[in-house]
Amino acid sequence: LKLCNKVLLPVSIGQLLRSTRAKNVYEQNTKLFKRSQELILLGIVWNAFCNAFSRGFGLDATNVITLLTILPLLHTGSLLGLFSLFKSPFINLSKKEAVAAAFAASHKTLAFGLPLVKTVFEGAYKVCLVCSKTFF
């Protein structure tokens, strides 16, 4: 229920509003809404980092070094794998489309990822290990 309230409900409401006059208001004030969206996302990131520093990361140096080694390798691997998938004859996208699809498919958004991780792993000791991929 918490997950629905924090993640799915706002996404659903946003999708419903796209079919109303609200979309016209958004299109008329695109710059204002984009700036507001950036500020809200910055606030979410700031809050996540402040919470991490105030409560401690719960990680020792070995885990940090492992994360800093494995995450870039996983990210590069996912980009290359997805690019290969999208360029395969099965999907057959152009090179530009395959690059865009691989980039979009391999990235997560903080706005969606942090509330989800925070709700699912609430009270977990090493949440930092779970959400570290969201930051990269």
Side-chain angles (χ1 to χ4, degrees):
L1 191 58
K2 278 184 177 182
L3 182 61
C4 289
N5 288 337
K6 289 183 178 181
V7 179
L8 297 177
L9 184 63
V11 171
S12 300
I13 290 171
Q15 291 301 314
L16 289 173
L17 287 175
R18 292 181 73 157
S19 63
T20 66
R21 287 182 164 184
K23 185 175 181 179
N24 295 335
V25 172
Y26 173 78
E27 289 173 351
Q28 293 170 353
N29 301 297
T30 301
K31 284 187 176 183
L32 174 68
F33 282 109
K34 286 193 180 207
R35 180 63 63 186
S36 300
Q37 183 179 5
E38 290 169 358
L39 289 172
I40 290 169
L41 185 57
L42 182 63
I44 291 170
V45 172
W46 178 261
N47 185 28
F49 278 113
C50 287
N51 284 340
F53 283 110
S54 67
R55 294 183 186 149
F57 290 110
L59 299 175
D60 57 17
T62 307
N63 286 336
V64 172
I65 292 169
T66 303
L67 280 174
L68 291 176
T69 303
I70 291 176
L71 287 177
L73 293 174
L74 287 174
H75 185 70
T76 304
S78 70
L79 271 173
L80 292 174
L82 288 165
F83 179 76
S84 298
L85 172 71
F86 292 129
K87 281 297 289 174
S88 70
F90 179 70
I91 298 178
N92 198 23
L93 294 178
S94 72
K95 187 174 183 179
K96 288 181 180 180
E97 292 171 331
V99 168
F103 184 79
S106 66
H107 285 74
K108 312 211 178 2
T109 63
L110 290 171
F112 191 75
L114 286 178
L116 179 67
V117 167
K118 198 171 185 179
T119 301
V120 171
F121 296 101
E122 189 172 1
Y125 174 64
K126 294 187 177 181
V127 171
C128 184
L129 288 172
V130 176
C131 67
S132 59
K133 178 64 175 128
T134 308
F135 291 113
F136 285 97

